[in-house]
Amino acid sequence: MRLHTLPLSEDTLELYVSSMGRRIAADSLKAYLSGIQFHSRVQGFPVDLKDMHRLALVLQGVRRVQGRSGVRLLRAPIKL
């Protein structure tokens, strides 16, 4: 399977997000996607990631797999 980098396709971005989901935090992936979108526009291939609904679902799945490890507790634990 040959992947073309530009113009961007939703399938290519889904593969990228799913492959990097184990190594990079979901928020970082979202920032990387913004950079990829900017680079695509600079190269003359306008794309809007907001219209890629399957990509949003893949990113949501990455968030679920990663869990809530970065979330602090709302209150301190009770110590005896």
Side-chain angles (χ1 to χ4, degrees):
M1 177 168 148
R2 182 174 164 93
L3 298 177
H4 299 283
T5 54
L6 290 175
L8 292 176
S9 71
E10 189 170 10
D11 294 331
T12 304
L13 291 175
E14 288 171 9
L15 289 173
Y16 172 72
V17 168
S18 62
S19 68
M20 299 299 283
R22 293 275 183 190
R23 293 178 265 171
I24 299 175
D27 290 335
S28 296
L29 274 172
K30 194 170 179 183
Y32 289 178
L33 286 174
S34 294
I36 291 170
Q37 179 179 358
F38 174 77
H39 177 71
S40 176
R41 287 182 179 172
V42 167
Q43 296 298 320
F45 298 102
V47 65
D48 192 9
L49 295 179
K50 293 177 185 173
D51 295 335
M52 297 185 178
H53 302 293
R54 287 182 300 154
L55 179 62
L57 291 175
V58 171
L59 193 56
Q60 181 181 7
V62 168
R63 281 192 193 106
R64 286 183 182 168
V65 167
Q66 289 178 354
R68 299 173 51 103
S69 61
V71 177
R72 294 186 328 162
L73 296 175
L74 295 177
R75 51 191 161 165
I78 299 173
K79 295 182 182 177
L80 297 176

